Structure formats: C-alpha cells, structure tokens
Amino acid sequence: MADAAALKRPAAPESAPAATEAVELRGLWRAFGDRAALRDLTISVPAGSTLAVLGPNGAGKTTLLRMLATLLRPTVGQVSVLGCPLPRDAWRARGRIGLLGHEPLLYRDLTGAENLRFQGRLYGLPGEGRERIAQLLERVRMSRRADELVRNLSAGMVQRIAVCRALLHEPELLLLDEPRSHLDPEAASLVEPLLGREPGRTRVLVTHDVDAGLAEADLVLALRAGGSVAYAGHASGLSAGDARAIYGGAP
C-alpha cells in the first residue's frame, strides 16, 4: 500500500504567485437576484492552515466554497485565492485548488478509473497520472472496483472516487464540503488521513459537526442563516456551545 510520503506534490506553475495568505476575503457579498446569500465577509486564512466554516442550512457555506473554487463571482467585495485576485486571475488559481463538494463531479457513464485518467489529462499530469491514481485508489480501497461504471457504484464508493479526484493533482488549497458524506466509519477512516493536514496544504472545511470542526481548525468562520457573520477568528475563541447556539439564531 502506498504511504503518504509516496504521493508527492507536482511543481506549481511558474506563473503562480507565492502567497502568505491562501484565502483573503474583504467585504464580500454574494446575492442571487435581490436575495443576499453572503453578507460582508472579511477574513484572512494563512497558507497551511485550516478554516472551519460552520452554520445552519441557508447560511451560504456552499456558496462560499463555490466562490473560492472560482465557480461563482462575488457581487461586492474582494476575494483572493492563493495570491490570485478573483475573478480576474481565476485561471491562475484553478489548477491549484481541489474541490470535494456535494456533487462528486464524476461522469456516471465512465468508470472510476476513466474519470480519474480524464482528470489527469486535464491537469497535464505525466502519463495521465496513472501512477498516482493507482496509489490513491489503493489508499481508499477502490482498486478492485475502479473499472466499474460510476453509476453502478454505491454512494459511499462514489465519494471515495471523488476524494481521489479532488486530491489527484496535489492541490495547495483543499475545499471540503461535508467530506464524510455517504461514508461509513471504515470508509471515513480511510479518507480522513488523505484529507487531513499536510505541509503546504490549506483547507477550508464546511461541516455541521461542530466538535470535529473546532478540533480540526485553526480559524473558524461561523455564519448565521442568511449569510451574516456570527464569528470570524481563531478556533480557540469560540466554544462548542456558542457555535451550536448559532444554529438556532435569527438571520
């Protein structure tokens, strides 16, 4: 079985700027029509740290991840990811970001291995990334099922393939939206080391598991329903009880 040391990060593009802050938000708003989904977010996330995003349904957590993944534009305010102002320099950041969201972003009529090789080609990995794909599939114990069509796999198996997809290109910024979704305890124990802390990796973790989120995070962004900020700062400054109270608060 491959170990973590065997999965080495490819070199970043020469044009990619170095950044001490992996994520910077300044006065960020995002609206859909006349409804604001995020309201006046300001926070800086140093490179190599973990930001936990907490809040009830409708707080804008997934919207925030989609903006950081360059899939949505801000309505008002400034967003910078890995030193790249968005949306102007989104093209410079995309290849350095890994997104694991609610959707697996896999083609259902391709096999798991075909999906991963396709991603390897998109990222320009040598040999379509076949060596790394084999290592990742072994780590999540999907090697024997990798040649089956995605549509024939269980939700948990699809999530494990999606983890491989998100990690395939060794992203500097990992965006995780409830990454343990659909995973039984054994499967979760397989993927957690892959998604955990790693030198040079910044993580933004959306979770409803308050205790786990606070334990994993250096920083916390807690959002109320409606997308306003209830707390933004060090994880040590927010108790689990206060974090849970946000889930019952008014916008």
Side-chain angles (χ1 to χ4, degrees), residues 78-97:
Q78 299 177 350
V79 183
S80 178
V81 171
L82 300 172
C84 304
L86 302 185
R88 188 190 70 195
D89 289 346
W91 64 274
R92 300 173 75 180
R94 286 187 183 120
R96 303 160 64 196
I97 298 170

Side-chain angles (χ1 to χ4, degrees), residues 7-208:
L7 306 181
K8 298 185 188 263
R9 182 187 307 278
E14 291 184 3
S15 59
T20 57
E21 305 295 331
V23 174
E24 290 191 87
L25 309 178
R26 294 285 180 268
L28 174 65
W29 288 70
R30 172 65 201 196
F32 296 94
D34 59 1
R35 180 182 66 82
L38 292 170
R39 304 167 183 262
D40 199 19
L41 273 59
T42 296
I43 194 167
S44 296
V45 183
S49 62
T50 296
L51 170 69
V53 184
L54 307 176
N57 294 333
K61 302 183 300 298
T62 296
T63 296
L64 175 59
L65 280 200
R66 287 176 58 81
M67 294 180 70
L68 297 180
T70 77
L71 300 175
L72 288 175
R73 292 170 173 251
T75 302
V76 176
Q78 299 177 350
V79 183
S80 178
V81 171
L82 300 172
C84 304
L86 302 185
R88 188 190 70 195
D89 289 346
W91 64 274
R92 300 173 75 180
R94 286 187 183 120
R96 303 160 64 196
I97 298 170
L99 173 64
L100 183 62
H102 292 301
E103 297 296 327
L105 303 180
L106 300 171
Y107 292 100
R108 290 173 52 82
D109 290 327
L110 296 179
T111 68
E114 287 170 339
N115 270 283
L116 295 177
R117 290 196 296 270
F118 174 67
Q119 292 288 325
R121 289 197 297 274
L122 291 180
Y123 287 114
L125 300 183
E128 300 179 334
R130 288 173 185 265
E131 181 177 350
R132 179 161 172 78
I133 288 168
Q135 293 170 341
L136 288 169
L137 289 172
E138 180 67 19
R139 292 289 299 275
V140 300
R141 296 186 187 172
M142 283 297 295
S143 298
R144 295 183 180 180
R145 307 294 299 270
D147 292 324
E148 297 183 32
L149 296 178
V150 167
R151 60 182 164 85
N152 293 335
L153 299 175
S154 70
M157 292 177 180
V158 171
Q159 183 72 354
R160 282 187 270 171
I161 298 288
V163 168
C164 296
R165 174 196 54 72
L167 295 172
L168 181 59
H169 57 301
E170 290 278 23
E172 297 170 52
L173 174 62
L174 195 52
L175 306 176
L176 305 171
D177 197 347
E178 296 288 351
R180 299 172 184 85
S181 295
H182 308 301
L183 297 177
D184 60 31
E186 180 181 0
S189 71
L190 294 174
V191 305
E192 282 173 1
L194 290 169
L195 299 176
R197 291 181 182 272
E198 182 177 294
R201 174 191 288 172
T202 305
R203 299 185 302 160
V204 178
L205 169 65
V206 168
T207 181
H208 288 300

